[in-house]
Amino acid sequence: MASTASEIIAFLVSISGWVLVSSTLPTDYWKVSTIDGTVITTATYWANLWKTCVTDSTGVSNCKDFPSMLALDGYIQACRGLMIAAVSLGFFGSIFALFGMKCTKVGGSDKAKAKIACLAGIVFILSGLCSMTGCSLYANKITTEFFDPLYVEQKYELGAALFIGWAGASLCIIGGIIFCFSISDNNKTPRYAYNGATSVMSSRTKYHGGERDFKTTNPSKQFDKNAYV
């Protein structure tokens, strides 16, 4: 029962992390910078893995997509690959988890389901590591440019998408670890069904054997005439 509850908790945590990681790909604010006026913010510059934009004080945004994938900076290409790999691994991890959980009717025997659940945990951990690496690489580039005194171009700060990605990666890793430890709980779970049936059969055999011995050893009590006087 405890193993089943831990698998359900691991599944919910891992799926929540995977959803958060998936939501970072279309999120706009991977990095953001603002130009403040005397009263209001005059312009907001922001960018993600696919485009760079500027929003003026009236709320009108002008965006420019990255022209060519081959002409991109290396860190953007690496972040794209890592985040796409994280989303793909999380998808396959969720499929393996559904087959490996004890509360589902598919996946074979309990021993086979435990191995599939452990595999799902490993896949979720890899998904979290990919997301964590991609977000950290992007954040490292932002902080390096921000604190470089010789960098004269527009400087950015960390956007909301990075924090969402870190949170989702942490949840994926935590859920994957719980899945991996659930295989040890399955190995420690005792089996009572077969032993119970054996004990019942043995008790019935002893009962009938004792009754047969009683009838054999006491024939006179069954046919004694004095018993009816």
Side-chain angles (χ1 to χ4, degrees):
M1 187 66 181
S3 176
T4 303
S6 64
E7 287 179 350
I8 294 175
I9 294 174
F11 181 76
L12 294 177
V13 171
S14 301
I15 290 297
S16 300
W18 176 60
V19 171
L20 289 177
V21 170
S22 301
S23 66
T24 59
L25 279 176
T27 302
D28 294 331
Y29 295 98
W30 278 67
K31 60 181 180 179
V32 61
S33 177
T34 59
I35 298 177
D36 297 328
T38 56
V39 179
I40 61 175
T41 299
T42 58
T44 301
Y45 295 87
W46 51 272
N48 57 14
L49 297 178
W50 316 102
K51 59 186 176 180
T52 178
C53 301
V54 57
T55 303
D56 58 19
S57 59
T58 61
V60 178
S61 298
N62 295 317
C63 296
K64 178 182 178 182
D65 295 332
F66 294 133
S68 174
M69 183 181 68
L70 299 178
L72 288 175
D73 293 334
Y75 78 98
I76 295 181
Q77 295 183 12
C79 291
R80 280 185 179 182
L82 288 170
M83 296 305 295
I84 293 173
V87 174
S88 301
L89 288 171
F91 173 77
F92 288 109
S94 61
I95 299 298
F96 291 146
L98 289 175
F99 279 90
M101 294 174 64
K102 294 175 65 176
C103 59
T104 59
K105 300 297 183 181
V106 292
S109 62
D110 288 346
K111 186 175 181 180
K113 291 171 75 69
K115 293 180 180 179
I116 297 174
C118 184
L119 177 61
I122 295 173
V123 174
F124 273 123
I125 291 174
L126 292 176
S127 174
L129 291 177
C130 288
S131 176
M132 186 76 71
T133 305
C135 293
S136 299
L137 181 61
Y138 198 92
N140 179 68
K141 182 66 175 179
I142 295 173
T143 54
T144 301
E145 293 177 351
F146 187 86
F147 292 107
D148 187 4
L150 302 178
Y151 187 77
V152 296
E153 297 183 10
Q154 182 72 32
K155 294 186 177 182
Y156 291 87
E157 297 182 2
L158 303 180
L162 295 176
F163 298 99
I164 296 174
W166 282 325
S170 301
L171 291 178
C172 285
I173 294 174
I174 293 172
I177 292 174
I178 298 175
F179 265 125
C180 290
F181 278 106
S182 67
I183 190 173
S184 60
D185 295 336
N186 289 327
N187 293 332
K188 294 179 182 179
T189 302
R191 304 294 183 85
Y192 296 105
Y194 180 76
N195 295 333
T198 305
S199 62
V200 171
M201 293 298 295
S202 61
S203 62
R204 290 180 178 177
T205 304
K206 291 180 181 179
Y207 173 76
H208 290 295
E211 184 179 358
R212 191 180 302 110
D213 294 339
F214 177 79
K215 291 180 180 179
T216 304
T217 55
N218 298 280
S220 59
K221 291 184 179 181
Q222 299 178 8
F223 303 102
D224 192 0
K225 294 181 180 181
N226 295 330
Y228 301 98
V229 177

